Amino acid sequence: MACRATSVPALFFAAVKVVAGRECVCYIHHDFGRGATRASRANSPSRRSRRWGNCQIGRVDVSEPASLSSGIAERYATAVFELVKDDQSLPKLEADVAALTAAMADSDDLNAMISSPVYSRDDQKSAIMAVSTAMDVSPTLANTLGLMATKRRLFVLPQLLSALTRRIADEKGEVTAEVTSAKPLTKAQEEKLAQTLKASVGKDVRISTSVDESLIGGLVVKVGSRMIDASLRSRLGALQNTMKEVG
């Protein structure tokens, strides 16, 4: 599959001027708590709001559970996947997801744009639509990203891409192994790891990589619900605990 350019247009970098010294405000909360009662949501600390100029911005506590973001991403992923599957355009979706995932890994500015509260809904929508156009993202996925920006959901883009990757892999009879390493893996290392995991799980394995320098060395591999932590950090932690017990 040919690799597309993943450079992110610079036009949105100055879309919103960051005002130094402002207290950080977060995403609007009212869509998040569907299962909560009206009273509990009203009394929640995350329902507090702050006024910037003439605009009142709802706040959500940054400690909201990760499962909440995952749930939002899964709903969007389900809708996108089913639409694309009906159109028989899964290969295009697969290419789009791969390109966006690479762009997210390469661009701090793109990550800041989808998550920073200083960008308005309109600014985020204009920016993500510009990125989608520049990367030739399919209309279905591009329109979904625009809708997510309008609803202040663009911050779950990484989880959305992961969810779509899993669905595409399932459709192709593959499994996805999420591999975290202390430094980027080479292509040869990825292929060898995929072969090793295939022998273990009995299916073709797609490798999804990320880097965490704090691991020092080794790998953390997650395949479905199975987690293999072979990192040097975990080994040192285990050794430290053993030494404490001995002492």
Side-chain angles (χ1 to χ4, degrees):
M1 183 181 298
C3 230
R4 289 178 290 169
T6 58
S7 59
V8 180
L11 61 92
F12 65 84
F13 293 163
V16 177
K17 181 181 292 185
V18 179
V19 181
R22 294 282 192 179
E23 179 179 354
C24 179
V25 291
C26 302
Y27 291 101
I28 291 175
H29 184 276
H30 70 274
D31 288 333
F32 284 82
R34 289 186 177 182
T37 65
R38 185 184 301 271
S40 65
R41 294 200 303 269
N43 294 328
S44 170
S46 61
R47 293 291 295 178
R48 293 194 300 269
S49 63
R50 179 167 299 276
R51 185 174 296 276
W52 277 17
N54 295 323
C55 182
Q56 186 160 337
I57 303 174
R59 291 175 43 173
V60 59
D61 192 337
V62 294
S63 63
E64 290 282 1
S67 59
L68 194 60
S69 295
S70 179
I72 295 169
E74 289 291 341
R75 289 195 292 272
Y76 280 105
T78 298
V80 170
F81 185 81
E82 292 302 326
L83 286 171
V84 170
K85 186 177 178 181
D86 289 343
D87 292 340
Q88 297 184 338
S89 52
L90 281 178
K92 171 61 174 170
L93 178 63
E94 183 176 11
D96 289 342
V97 169
L100 283 168
T101 300
M104 292 290 297
D106 291 342
S107 175
D108 291 338
D109 295 297
L110 178 57
N111 282 277
M113 185 276 292
I114 68 169
S115 59
S116 174
V118 301
Y119 291 92
S120 70
R121 299 167 188 255
D122 290 341
D123 289 324
Q124 285 190 322
K125 183 175 181 179
S126 296
I128 199 62
M129 295 307 289
V131 171
S132 298
T133 299
M135 300 180 70
D136 191 30
V137 171
S138 68
T140 298
L141 182 55
N143 290 337
T144 299
L145 297 179
L147 176 64
M148 290 169 64
T150 300
K151 292 183 173 293
R152 281 293 196 189
R153 295 292 186 267
L154 203 55
F155 67 99
V156 303
L157 178 56
Q159 292 95 324
L160 171 70
L161 296 175
S162 294
L164 286 172
T165 298
R166 290 194 302 272
R167 281 169 169 75
I168 293 169
D170 289 343
E171 185 69 16
K172 296 171 66 177
E174 301 173 341
V175 295
T176 298
E178 299 176 8
V179 180
T180 306
S181 57
K183 60 182 181 180
L185 299 179
T186 65
K187 189 67 177 178
Q189 288 173 326
E190 287 188 21
E191 291 174 354
K192 184 175 181 180
L193 179 59
Q195 293 172 0
T196 301
L197 291 173
K198 179 180 179 179
S200 175
V201 301
K203 292 184 178 180
D204 289 335
V205 177
R206 174 198 293 266
I207 302 294
S208 175
T209 62
S210 61
V211 174
D212 181 356
E213 294 179 356
S214 68
L215 296 180
I216 308 174
L219 300 172
V220 176
V221 180
K222 181 179 180 183
V223 182
S225 60
R226 296 172 58 186
M227 174 76 78
I228 305 169
D229 189 345
S231 66
L232 182 55
R233 182 179 65 185
S234 69
R235 295 177 188 176
L236 290 174
L239 177 61
Q240 185 178 33
N241 290 334
T242 300
M243 293 176 67
K244 287 180 178 178
E245 293 174 0
V246 172

